Amino acid sequence: MVAIIVEGKRDVTFFRNYITHHLKIEKKLYKITKTDGKSILLDKLYYKYKELKEDLEVGRVHKVLFIIDSDNNRDNPDIGGYNNSCTAIEQLIKDLNIVEYADFFIACDPITQEGN
């Protein structure tokens, strides 16, 4: 199973529909978890990460995909913008000690590297 971690409820709806209807992947092969925002998703102490790590350890989950928005660097200088988002998510993956299992995608305008 692949664990997909997203920011919010609309992300869950979008990706569940996309994966099921366009990619034709069965629901039993993935699970989507929402975190109620980017700052929570990037918090290594977020309570759902304990369960994720347990799922990895026992083999229920084999891969993890984090999907976050780039957002705007001006609105949030610490985690906004593409480069800050990359740095933050890479650090989270290291802090959770799941480098060999995890990857990420940052949704943004490909030219400005901002937005969602």
Side-chain angles (χ1 to χ4, degrees), residues 19-73:
I19 292 166
T20 302
H21 300 297
H22 296 285
L23 298 179
K24 308 288 187 206
I25 296 173
E26 295 179 49
K27 289 183 181 180
K28 68 180 182 179
L29 298 177
Y30 69 92
K31 74 175 184 177
I32 301 176
T33 302
K34 73 176 181 76
T35 61
D36 294 321
K38 185 176 184 176
S39 59
I40 295 172
L41 185 148
L42 294 171
D43 181 356
K44 68 182 177 186
L45 300 176
Y46 183 51
Y47 74 96
K48 290 185 180 181
Y49 292 149
K50 181 180 179 191
E51 179 183 334
L52 173 65
K53 290 184 73 167
E54 290 170 359
D55 286 346
L56 285 164
E57 288 172 11
V58 299
R60 280 189 294 265
V61 169
H62 302 286
K63 296 286 182 184
V64 180
L65 176 62
F66 294 92
I67 303 174
I68 61 174
D69 299 331
S70 173
D71 296 323
N72 187 315
N73 193 29

